[in-house]
Amino acid sequence: MKTALITGITGQDGTYLAEYLLQLGYKVYGLIRGQNNPKREWVERLLPDVELVHGDLLDQASLIAALEYTKPDEVYNLAAVSFVPLSWNQAELTGEVTGLGVLRMLEAIRIVGGSGRRNGQRVNPIRFYQASSSEMFGKVRETPQNERTPFHPRSPYGVAKVYGHYITVNYRESYDIYACSGILFNHESPRRGPEFVTRKISMGVARIKLGKQRELVLGNLDARRDWGFAGDYVKAMHLMLQQPEPDDYVVGTGESHSVREFAELAFAYVGLDWRDYVRTDPRFMRPAEVDHLLADATKARTVLGWRPTVSFRELVEMMVEADLRLEREKAARGLG
């Protein structure tokens, strides 16, 4: 039985990855920050077979203690201040968690597991996955983007992710740690936080359809993203750590769609015309926009054998359907 430690266990990726690893027979631990974490109870109900351990990417000693207790074969670092617009308001915290938090975890792995090679074999038994992001490409130099495309981040979040990506490469090269980065393009699900535009749309559509909301206010409708299903993407994370040698991989669908298209499909699913309900507000515009992200995931397809299974339309409809159920359940419980 392999053992995995997942940071960011309370996020959509953390829960989908934990479910997948449990299906594969792993013993799974989830790193959780704070005794009164508001999502702890939800995770415990959803994932009763996952053991939660305390730790904080801001605290080096807690990460060492977590590694010593869990003795993982694999560490998946998914934790981050991940809502991009928030990173301008909390730039220092974003840098500490999303950037330096990666360094602290890598250093903990080096301390606990060792470094270098002995008799041609890697000394450190722990394999590390870093959740890099397509936001690192930012003001893109070429389309589509692959592992060789230069980075030009356009937010504190993107800048912090670039640091986390390169420190992962540095520890791989300096200490011979098995460390991979997955440069994942946008991936969504019904478990996505309500602050993200895709979930904001699916929740808004559900509430409008049920007469609970009159309009949906969005920002830049022309921003284009490569959107896939989070449940597909966590399988790519796992595949990266099963390869003979560590490397970095772009993961995406190879299709680009605008926020406008997402809204149009979501409203159409419930028989409504999006133009009757959507308005834009400059308050939801980013200070520096990322206009067009599109993945070239050739390497992931050829080396890992990974391919997405959920189409863009299926993803949109899945999210709207889930939020319709959620809103109906809330209404049945008298929660509005």
Side-chain angles (χ1 to χ4, degrees):
M1 179 187 291
K2 284 187 177 181
T3 299
L5 174 65
I6 302 172
T7 75
I9 190 69
T10 61
Q12 66 162 5
D13 289 10
T15 58
Y16 280 115
L17 177 61
E19 286 175 337
Y20 182 62
L21 295 179
L22 288 169
Q23 290 171 11
L24 296 177
Y26 277 66
K27 168 63 179 175
V28 179
Y29 294 91
L31 193 77
I32 194 163
R33 179 186 180 193
Q35 301 222 357
N36 297 316
N37 191 302
K39 290 188 174 181
R40 182 185 186 119
E41 186 177 338
W42 174 72
V43 172
E44 288 175 332
R45 287 198 311 270
L46 181 67
L47 302 166
D49 294 326
V50 171
E51 181 178 343
L52 299 179
V53 297
H54 291 291
D56 192 338
L57 289 180
L58 300 177
D59 179 14
Q60 179 85 71
S62 73
L63 300 180
I64 293 173
L67 291 176
E68 290 177 337
Y69 175 74
T70 60
K71 297 179 173 57
D73 298 289
E74 299 169 0
V75 173
Y76 295 86
N77 185 44
L78 311 184
V81 178
S82 58
F83 184 47
V84 177
L86 182 64
S87 71
W88 276 279
N89 296 328
Q90 295 186 317
E92 182 178 357
L93 178 63
T94 299
E96 285 285 352
V97 175
T98 308
L100 288 174
V102 186
L103 169 63
R104 294 187 188 99
M105 180 58 85
L106 284 164
E107 185 65 5
I109 289 171
R110 185 188 69 81
I111 291 169
V112 172
S115 64
R117 287 184 180 250
R118 187 176 296 121
N119 298 324
Q121 300 296 314
R122 187 175 286 108
V123 171
N124 198 317
I126 302 172
R127 296 192 170 198
F128 175 76
Y129 171 83
Q130 165 58 15
S132 290
S133 169
S134 60
E135 289 285 333
M136 300 188 305
F137 295 120
K139 189 175 182 179
V140 297
R141 310 288 183 87
E142 62 184 12
T143 300
Q145 297 90 46
N146 59 35
E147 294 81 5
R148 296 177 301 280
T149 301
F151 299 138
H152 187 149
R154 298 269 282 172
S155 66
Y157 169 80
V159 172
K161 280 293 187 181
V162 169
Y163 177 86
H165 180 84
Y166 278 129
I167 200 65
T168 300
V169 173
N170 183 257
Y171 267 63
R172 182 170 69 213
E173 295 177 349
S174 300
Y175 301 114
D176 211 4
I177 290 173
Y178 190 109
C180 296
S181 285
I183 307 173
L184 270 57
F185 281 62
N186 294 66
H187 46 289
E188 316 297 323
S189 76
R191 299 178 189 174
R192 183 55 116 172
E195 67 274 20
F196 290 84
V197 66
T198 51
R199 185 75 193 288
K200 185 177 180 181
I201 292 171
S202 65
M203 290 177 65
V205 167
R207 291 180 59 81
I208 288 170
K209 178 63 177 178
L210 298 176
K212 298 182 178 183
Q213 187 173 317
R214 293 185 177 181
E215 66 176 5
L216 178 61
V217 184
L218 301 173
N220 181 10
L221 299 179
D222 295 319
R224 301 185 67 86
R225 295 291 185 271
D226 184 329
W227 275 303
F229 173 50
D232 284 339
Y233 286 47
V234 299
K235 296 176 183 178
M237 300 176 188
H238 176 256
L239 284 168
M240 289 179 208
L241 297 195
Q242 313 316 307
Q243 304 309 306
E245 292 297 327
D247 208 343
D248 306 320
Y249 300 86
V250 161
V251 178
T253 69
E255 294 182 10
S256 179
H257 301 275
S258 67
V259 174
R260 180 181 285 101
E261 289 176 74
F262 198 107
E264 183 177 2
L265 279 177
F267 276 98
Y269 181 67
V270 297
L272 299 176
D273 188 332
W274 71 278
R275 291 168 292 189
D276 295 332
Y277 302 96
V278 174
R279 70 176 178 87
T280 58
D281 189 321
R283 290 180 302 157
F284 295 106
M285 303 290 186
R286 295 184 182 185
E289 182 59 88
V290 175
D291 296 314
H292 189 195
L293 295 176
L294 178 63
D296 175 3
T298 301
K299 184 176 175 182
R301 289 198 305 272
T302 55
V303 178
L304 305 179
W306 178 86
R307 282 172 175 76
T309 65
V310 176
S311 71
F312 177 66
R313 178 183 293 274
E314 290 169 337
L315 174 65
V316 175
E317 294 179 353
M318 173 201 303
M319 293 179 67
V320 174
E321 187 61 39
D323 277 319
L324 283 168
R325 284 197 307 271
L326 180 63
E327 290 299 328
R328 288 180 179 127
E329 289 169 3
K330 287 165 61 177
R333 297 197 306 269
L335 300 177

